[in-house]
Amino acid sequence: MKKRVISLFVVVVLALSVSITAQAASPGLQNFKIRKTYTCGQFTDVSDAAWYAMAVQADYEYGLLSGRSASVFAPNDAITLAEAVKLAAVLNSTYETGSASFKKTIPWYKAYAEAAVRKRILDASATGYTAPVTRADFAVLIAKALPDAAFPVISEISDNAIPDVAVNDPSGPAVYKLYRAGILSGCDSFGTFRPEQLLSRAEAAAIVARAANSAFRKSITLPAPLSGDDLYQKCSPAVFYLERYDDAGDLLGIGSGFFISRSGLALTNYHVIEGATSAKITTYDGKTYDVKGLCGYDEVADLALLQIDGSGFPYLAPAASDDLSVGTVVYTIGSPYGLQNTISKGIVSNANQEIDGSSYIQFSAPISIGSGGGPVLNTSGQVVGVTCLTVLNGQTLNFAVPIHEIDAIKQTDCVPFDNGADDSADETAYYAGLYPVPDFGVYADAPLYEISSDEDAGVVTFNYRQSDILMDDETAAGYIDLLNQNGFVWQRTYTNDSGYAVDVYYNADFDISVQFGVTLLDGVVCRFVAVFY
């Protein structure tokens, strides 16, 4: 009899257990329910007309976010890491179990942090809980708090469409997930996220409400074609003017470049920085910064990674695809002849133009000396190429290195320019202050006979007595090959007053002409190099 009673008791207990299990909440957004009553005007600093008022009410009713006191919400205060971790832990627990019960601890956020670490929402090494949290860090926490099933895509956002967040940034996957799910929508019409800025409690309330209730989510479209004015406003702050100098502090040349990360990593042409022992940039707002050095370069692709001495810079994102169609509208921003942040518009003339075995984007947007290293942008403000060269006397025959060539650069620690940034300078001597004109006297091992200069005309002439040149004429003429190797292109040949042929060469990147030939100087036969700068 006792055995039957015990057996019956076990059956009842088991049945009760089954019943309790059956009533347990299943994971899902349906678990976010009204648990508290919100009274209009409850928080004296939250106006009913405020854009975040409904989100504050929803979060309070769901038991997700309370005020700093019974009557103060503090919408403009920065949310701390501790508060952000609590929100992530409560979101996760409510979604999975339908409740969020955490024991009281000292400090108050310890239980939430332990749960977040256990659920792999938060790294165990996290510190600084009382400090404000960045928008990027908050996005990462929210993205990890709920499973992918809670973030169905409602907005088609292509990779790198967000102006200031690249998909391969540390916070990139989380930010793009939340944009595509309609939880983040950006801070302006461009979809700018401002990842390094601090997040206000009002903004946190809106994000959490959208995470908990899909009715709050917003569908957006990015990228949208931008007008020239909008594109300039969006992209120009990330483009800079660059000056490079030799070891005597003389200006070697000018160019352009642009930031590709907030930390000061920037991209330009290799030839824009080649030969420099120091360099500085001027940003859109007129501030100047030193270039600390090179972080990698590809001389063949004509690209160089620079580290600028600073941080918090606006930056440009590469286009997700390097597929370009002929006729596609593109813009360039650069500093032609030092005219900083000049924008021009054109079309892609040839998406894959082969020149000397390399592939370039040929485009019609006007550029000039000083534009080199600037970005070529599509109508979404994404970088498709890096301006590199133009054909003089041509009709808008301009070329850019495709942006995907950056993938071939092996990024290194920053190397100062005076520690071997320019390998070619180790092999070739240049006239002081006239880079990249090779020093003929060093090449021919001949002493300088006479030098003349006209600063007003911008010309200096170096003369060497033919009798001092020990090498034969053919070998001496090899100086022309050295000019070619340093970017000088033959333009014409003429006969001078002494009856000798003179070759004229021009380097468009540096806007320097060189005349090389033989002349009579006070009856002495001299080989000369005249440099027009």
Side-chain angles (χ1 to χ4, degrees), residues 399-442:
F399 301 88
V401 180
I403 190 60
H404 67 81
E405 291 289 348
I406 192 176
D407 297 335
I409 300 177
K410 182 179 180 181
Q411 188 172 341
T412 64
D413 293 336
C414 179
V415 178
F417 297 119
D418 57 359
N419 286 345
D422 178 29
D423 293 338
S424 64
D426 295 335
E427 303 172 1
T428 304
Y430 302 92
Y431 289 114
L434 295 173
Y435 180 88
V437 183
D439 188 321
F440 178 76
V442 174

Side-chain angles (χ1 to χ4, degrees), residues 431 439-442 445-452 460-465 468-469 521 526-529:
Y431 289 114
D439 188 321
F440 178 76
V442 174
D445 193 22
L448 185 64
Y449 172 64
E450 184 177 293
I451 183 173
S452 62
V460 58
T461 303
F462 303 90
N463 298 284
Y464 305 87
R465 288 190 301 188
D468 289 335
I469 301 174
L521 188 61
C526 293
R527 194 172 288 271
F528 75 93
V529 178

Side-chain angles (χ1 to χ4, degrees), residues 21 131 137 141 158 162 170 214 234 333 336 352 367 393 403-404 411 441 474 486 504 508:
T21 302
D137 289 340
L141 288 172
S158 61
I162 302 169
S214 58
K234 170 185 174 182
I333 301 177
N352 189 25
I367 61 172
N393 302 320
I403 190 60
H404 67 81
Q411 188 172 341
E474 183 177 349
N486 283 274
V504 180

Side-chain angles (χ1 to χ4, degrees), residues 326-340:
V326 173
T328 298
V329 173
V330 291
Y331 293 85
T332 68
I333 301 177
S335 300
Y337 290 101
L339 300 174
Q340 188 173 349

Side-chain angles (χ1 to χ4, degrees), residues 83-143:
E83 292 173 316
V85 169
K86 175 186 175 181
L87 284 171
V90 172
L91 275 173
N92 176 268
S93 180
T94 304
Y95 181 92
E96 290 187 349
T97 69
S99 66
S101 179
F102 292 84
K103 63 182 180 181
K104 292 184 178 180
T105 58
I106 298 176
W108 67 265
Y109 53 81
K110 180 180 178 182
Y112 302 104
E114 289 174 345
V117 170
R118 189 167 57 251
K119 292 291 186 177
R120 297 185 179 180
I121 299 170
L122 180 70
D123 192 285
S125 62
T127 58
Y129 285 93
T130 59
V133 71
T134 66
R135 296 169 60 84
D137 289 340
F138 189 77
V140 172
L141 288 172
I142 298 304

Side-chain angles (χ1 to χ4, degrees), residues 13 23 209 256 271 294 313 326 463 466 482 503:
V13 171
Q23 293 176 6
S256 303
H271 76 257
L294 280 171
F313 298 106
V326 173
N463 298 284
Q466 189 71 36
L482 200 56
D503 292 308

